[in-house]
Amino acid sequence: MVKLDVITTRGGDAGETSLGDGARVRKDSLRVEAFGTVDEANAALGVLRLHLDGDAEADAMLARVQNDLFDLGADLCVPGIGADRLRVSDAQSLRLEQELAAMNAVIPPLRSFVLPGGSPGAAQAHVARTVVRRAERLVVALAGEEPVNAAVIRYLNRLSDHLFVLARRLNGNGARDVAWVPGASR
């Protein structure tokens, strides 16, 4: 599928990169920003996996998500929405929804917004969540300029919710959540 035997090609030295269809674009193009931020989110998930304290179920979920994010990056790096390339599907978002619902079913309802923190794993889940939200905003902006697979936007939206609930799970099912106290620092 992929063979990379030369990493340094010097092809990007002039500020351009190749898309999956071979087209050359500036590295600061909205499309490159979008899939670059998806890559950043994936890296944040890699760090999160180091803070799971042996939670094999969470690790397996995040391993699937990391693979999904590579699919998503592959989808975004080829302009258009045709099915002739690897494209994200709504089945991937549905899996996230099911995992999210299962995690949320055992967590008490929120009585306040929560601040990122509580445990190292939860804090890192919130970092990953915010990177995913930024990726989502960039993909929405890209979709305003050219065709983008709508399943990509849905997936990123579900993933940020998934990571929020995972953060609560990693905080002892909400027991160590840090509640926002409006106006507490006035």
Side-chain angles (χ1 to χ4, degrees), residues 107-171:
I107 300 174
L110 284 170
R111 302 279 183 240
S112 170
F113 287 110
V114 295
L115 303 176
S119 69
Q124 186 60 42
H126 282 293
V127 169
R129 174 186 58 77
T130 63
V131 176
V132 168
R133 281 287 189 210
R134 181 162 31 94
E136 179 186 13
R137 291 190 304 271
L138 288 165
V139 173
V140 167
L142 177 62
E145 294 185 4
E146 55 187 280
V148 170
N149 177 2
V152 168
I153 298 169
R154 286 189 289 274
Y155 185 89
L156 292 170
N157 191 27
R158 295 306 176 285
L159 179 55
S160 61
D161 293 341
H162 188 282
L163 291 169
F164 178 81
V165 174
L166 178 60
R168 296 200 68 218
R169 174 184 163 169
L170 295 174
N171 269 343

Side-chain angles (χ1 to χ4, degrees), residues 180-186:
W180 171 50
V181 180
S185 301
R186 287 191 217 178

Side-chain angles (χ1 to χ4, degrees), residues 13-174:
D13 289 352
E16 289 188 343
T17 192
S18 293
L19 298 179
D21 64 357
R24 300 286 294 172
V25 297
R26 289 176 46 96
K27 288 186 175 189
D28 63 354
S29 74
L30 194 50
R31 182 171 295 280
V32 175
E33 284 286 341
F35 67 71
T37 306
V38 168
D39 187 36
E40 185 182 346
N42 207 337
L45 292 177
V47 175
L48 169 56
R49 290 179 70 189
L50 299 174
H51 295 284
L52 295 178
D53 294 329
D55 186 334
E57 182 181 8
D59 190 58
M61 285 189 291
L62 292 174
R64 287 188 295 272
V65 168
Q66 285 191 289
N67 277 287
D68 286 347
L69 288 178
F70 257 79
D71 290 352
L72 201 145
D75 190 324
L76 288 171
C77 86
V78 179
I81 55 175
D84 57 332
R85 300 286 185 138
L86 177 61
R87 299 294 181 196
V88 172
S89 75
D90 282 326
Q92 291 162 293
S93 295
L94 180 59
R95 188 196 73 242
L96 289 178
E97 286 181 29
Q98 292 166 344
E99 291 173 356
L100 188 160
M103 288 188 291
N104 205 42
V106 297
I107 300 174
L110 284 170
R111 302 279 183 240
S112 170
F113 287 110
V114 295
L115 303 176
S119 69
Q124 186 60 42
H126 282 293
V127 169
R129 174 186 58 77
T130 63
V131 176
V132 168
R133 281 287 189 210
R134 181 162 31 94
E136 179 186 13
R137 291 190 304 271
L138 288 165
V139 173
V140 167
L142 177 62
E145 294 185 4
E146 55 187 280
V148 170
N149 177 2
V152 168
I153 298 169
R154 286 189 289 274
Y155 185 89
L156 292 170
N157 191 27
R158 295 306 176 285
L159 179 55
S160 61
D161 293 341
H162 188 282
L163 291 169
F164 178 81
V165 174
L166 178 60
R168 296 200 68 218
R169 174 184 163 169
L170 295 174
N171 269 343
N173 287 331

